[in-house]
Amino acid sequence: MSIEARDIHFRYGRTPVLKDVSFSLVRGRFHALLGPNGAGKSTLFGLMTRLLALQSGELMMAGQSLRKQPAAAMREMGVVFQQNALDLDLTVQQNLLYHAALHGLSRREARARSDRELARFNLSERADDPVRKLNGGHRRRVEIARALLHQPSLLLLDEPTVGLDVASRQTLNEHVRHLCAEDGLTVLWATHLIEEVQPDDRVLILHRGSLRANGEGRDLSEAADRDGIAETFHALTGAGQS
Amino acid sequence: MKAAHYWHCFVGIQSREWLRFWQQRTRFFSALVRPLLWLAVFAAGFRAVLGVSIIPPYQTYITYETYIAPGLCGMIVLFNSMQGALSMVYDRELGSMRVLLMSPLPRPFLLITKLLSMGLVSIGQVYIFLLVARLFDIEPPTLGYLAVLPALMLTSLMLGALGLLIATWVKQLENFAGVMNFVIFPMFFLSSALYPLWKMQEASPWLYWLCQINPFTHAVEAIRFALYLQWNPAAFGITLAVTLVLASLATAGFRPQRTKILPGVA
């Protein structure tokens, strides 16, 4: 059980943004959600995180319907948003404790978990620093630690590497892959950067609101008779031809 | 979800608000300048122009400063609640609303708790204002400071809910200046904050009725009467009823997608 989307349509006013999107993710795997800017990735994230209300179709999060049992579904999800969603003036730990409280954890439990996550993320010595003092890569790591505090089984990241330099981008990507392997997390990593995708990843390609492909990267390339994810992606979306 | 979860969440939202307040304490104190200017300068200038006769809850002739002090308490809450509520909707920079809404607890609970926590911070400001006001001989009975608390809480919740409603539904007012001109100033001036309504009735029956249907008038009167340890069931009741209606409308109608939190969505 992971994420299952069935027949999702979504429109802003009269403009259709998602058209008949259906997929299911493989438990415990790293999934890359690829799409050029404007493909509908953010809208899909908005729907999965209940920022937007479903207009039609169904989203199941670890077996819980987002429409019918939103609370149970939300508990299964850890989310890292595209924009920074940390309080810059509060310390790393204060940010984590706030999130834990929002999930109904007691202060003591929250502290224990936040200490544990920070240690695991090599951030213990930064616990009392205001987030403002951290560099972009570290801030992102804090956001991931925060997303995992309530021990979700799904981790959703919406273009988490935007604004990071190449080195931090790579580190972050490896870090999440490591978490995926270590904790058995099901990861959905939205990006428009193909270099963040590996051939044995599960890949979903979204283009103009439709899902063009969903499968193992290598298989998709074979089926499209292309060499590597980049070419497959370009073939399916017509992007990057110039 | 158990009661303990709600409690931890409630405490967490409150403590974050106070932590933020502490970070921004200079802003907090500079916000006190506005009501104090009204009290020290405006009121001093106007006391000669306006004679205030004996009206309840006061038992003697009072100075104009004494009259407007409760109105200025209302003003502090009005500005803070509106600003806070609007920032809940327009605050795209920090994405803090997105974090709040990722909580599995029901959204109406989260929104009301958030409004309450912002309200408590502005009530702290009201109390500091009232302390400074003692220097201007505004000395309500000691117990009045306690009695006014429920009225202040209701007022802040009512105005916060109104701010949320406006921010969610009125797209044209997308900045604070717009809300200032079309909501805050009309609400403030069309109320009993600065002048007793019988004065307004003499001036224009029309304006008088506008003042009467303005919920802020009743909130100010609830504050005024409570501060002087008198019970004004009409003012309190109207404020309570309007608060309940606005809070349920605001939380039921809260549509984060109308807020353009997703920039350039496609």
Side-chain angles (χ1 to χ4, degrees):
Chain A
M1 272 188 292
S2 55
I3 300 181
E4 209 184 320
R6 284 184 220 134
D7 311 325
I8 297 199
H9 291 265
F10 192 87
R11 47 178 67 232
Y12 286 106
R14 289 188 172 176
T15 321
V17 185
L18 291 174
K19 292 171 265 183
D20 198 17
V21 172
S22 299
F23 60 84
S24 67
L25 303 189
V26 181
R27 190 177 181 171
R29 291 285 302 270
F30 183 98
H31 299 75
L33 174 61
L34 271 177
N37 286 328
K41 298 191 299 292
S42 288
T43 303
L44 187 57
F45 259 84
L47 289 170
M48 288 192 285
T49 54
R50 284 181 79 230
L51 184 71
L52 302 170
L54 275 170
Q55 292 171 347
S56 72
E58 179 66 283
L59 268 168
M60 307 288 287
M61 299 292 176
Q64 311 286 347
S65 157
L66 201 58
R67 201 193 282 275
K68 293 180 195 128
Q69 300 121 341
M74 303 292 266
R75 271 198 296 271
E76 293 293 338
M77 261 190 284
V79 182
V80 176
F81 297 107
Q82 192 174 337
Q83 303 101 320
N84 168 53
L86 293 164
D87 252 316
L88 298 181
D89 294 319
L90 302 193
T91 67
V92 169
Q93 178 139 60
Q94 284 165 345
N95 268 286
L96 295 192
L97 294 181
Y98 173 58
H99 176 86
L102 290 177
H103 278 264
L105 296 177
S106 74
R107 188 89 176 163
R108 192 193 302 166
E109 179 70 23
R111 218 164 243 288
R113 286 199 197 181
S114 113
D115 287 347
R116 199 162 57 218
E117 287 300 326
L118 289 177
R120 196 155 75 111
F121 282 64
N122 289 327
L123 286 164
S124 294
E125 70 279 14
R126 310 300 302 266
D128 296 321
D129 287 346
V131 172
R132 201 177 283 285
K133 283 197 182 163
L134 269 55
N135 66 32
H138 279 134
R139 286 184 195 180
R140 278 300 176 188
R141 270 207 271 166
V142 173
E143 290 196 275
I144 298 173
R146 176 175 68 178
L148 297 177
L149 266 190
H150 58 283
Q151 299 173 330
S153 62
L154 313 166
L155 178 61
L156 309 164
L157 306 102
D158 186 8
E159 309 220 10
T161 52
V162 164
L164 297 185
D165 58 58
V166 180
S168 327
R169 229 189 264 161
Q170 248 169 9
T171 320
L172 195 75
N173 189 277
E174 279 160 22
H175 182 70
V176 171
R177 286 169 186 283
H178 181 68
L179 286 173
C180 180
E182 192 178 78
D183 297 2
L185 279 172
T186 308
V187 174
L188 183 62
W189 173 289
T191 184
H192 62 272
L193 300 168
I194 297 163
E195 61 267 29
E196 292 178 351
V197 185
Q198 295 175 2
D200 52 353
D201 285 338
R202 303 281 310 179
V203 178
L204 294 95
I205 295 176
L206 199 60
H207 182 52
R208 295 199 183 137
S210 304
L211 195 65
R212 296 292 164 94
N214 176 14
E216 195 104 2
R218 201 170 278 125
D219 298 345
L220 294 181
S221 305
E222 250 173 54
D225 198 17
R226 301 286 159 153
D227 203 11
I229 300 286
E231 279 197 23
T232 313
F233 177 72
H234 293 153
L236 288 170
T237 61
Q241 300 291 359
S242 50
Chain B
M1 285 278 142
K2 294 186 204 128
H5 292 147
Y6 285 88
W7 173 246
H8 294 313
C9 180
F10 182 83
V11 173
I13 293 176
Q14 297 292 332
S15 48
R16 173 181 176 271
E17 210 59 40
W18 286 99
L19 279 172
R20 280 179 64 83
F21 149 69
W22 188 244
Q23 295 295 338
Q24 302 170 347
R25 52 193 181 278
T26 45
R27 199 194 292 178
F28 177 89
F29 287 106
S30 66
L32 267 177
V33 170
R34 185 169 40 223
L36 286 174
L37 268 179
W38 279 84
L39 190 67
V41 184
F42 179 85
F46 259 67
R47 74 194 303 180
V49 183
L50 272 169
V52 178
S53 64
I54 301 176
I55 50 165
Y58 309 107
Q59 277 141 14
T60 60
Y61 282 103
I62 50 161
T63 61
Y64 185 56
E65 284 93 330
T66 308
Y67 180 81
I68 68 167
L72 295 178
C73 294
M75 181 177 89
I76 295 173
V77 177
L78 177 65
F79 270 84
N80 285 341
S81 299
M82 283 289 165
Q83 209 155 18
L86 293 197
S87 77
M88 277 169 77
V89 178
Y90 299 141
D91 198 350
R92 280 161 272 174
E93 191 209 344
L94 295 172
S96 55
M97 272 317 277
R98 299 190 78 168
V99 174
L100 183 76
L101 296 178
M102 281 309 291
S103 163
L105 292 163
R107 285 191 176 168
F109 170 79
L110 296 170
L111 294 172
I112 298 285
T113 304
K114 173 85 181 158
L115 288 179
L116 270 177
S117 65
M118 296 189 307
L120 283 179
V121 172
S122 64
I123 289 170
Q125 214 166 4
V126 169
Y127 277 108
I128 294 177
F129 167 76
L130 283 173
L131 273 185
V132 180
R134 294 187 75 88
L135 301 176
F136 296 85
D137 297 327
I138 294 150
E139 294 172 334
T142 314
L143 268 180
Y145 290 101
L146 192 63
V148 77
L149 187 60
L152 289 173
M153 298 268 282
L154 267 187
T155 306
S156 75
L157 202 54
M158 176 178 90
L159 296 169
L162 179 68
L164 265 193
L165 261 184
I166 290 171
T168 310
W169 294 109
V170 188
K171 286 200 151 180
Q172 284 73 19
L173 298 179
E174 275 192 0
N175 55 51
F176 193 64
V179 174
M180 202 87 141
N181 288 333
F182 289 99
V183 183
I184 295 183
F185 283 142
M187 270 191 116
F188 183 57
F189 290 124
L190 285 171
S191 78
S192 58
L194 296 179
Y195 15 75
L197 288 193
W198 64 265
K199 286 247 180 209
M200 202 49 134
Q201 199 169 16
E202 278 179 359
S204 150
W206 261 101
L207 287 178
Y208 171 74
W209 280 108
L210 281 177
C211 294
Q212 279 290 3
I213 58 168
N214 177 3
F216 186 66
T217 294
H218 303 283
V220 167
E221 289 311 299
I223 294 171
R224 188 191 308 284
F225 275 73
L227 195 58
Y228 288 89
L229 290 176
Q230 288 195 35
W231 176 230
N232 184 338
F236 202 83
I238 292 172
T239 311
L240 179 67
V242 175
T243 304
L244 290 177
V245 172
L246 289 180
S248 38
L249 285 178
T251 53
F254 188 73
R255 297 273 184 277
Q257 65 265 40
R258 287 183 63 104
T259 65
K260 296 203 226 148
I261 291 175
L262 301 170
V265 275

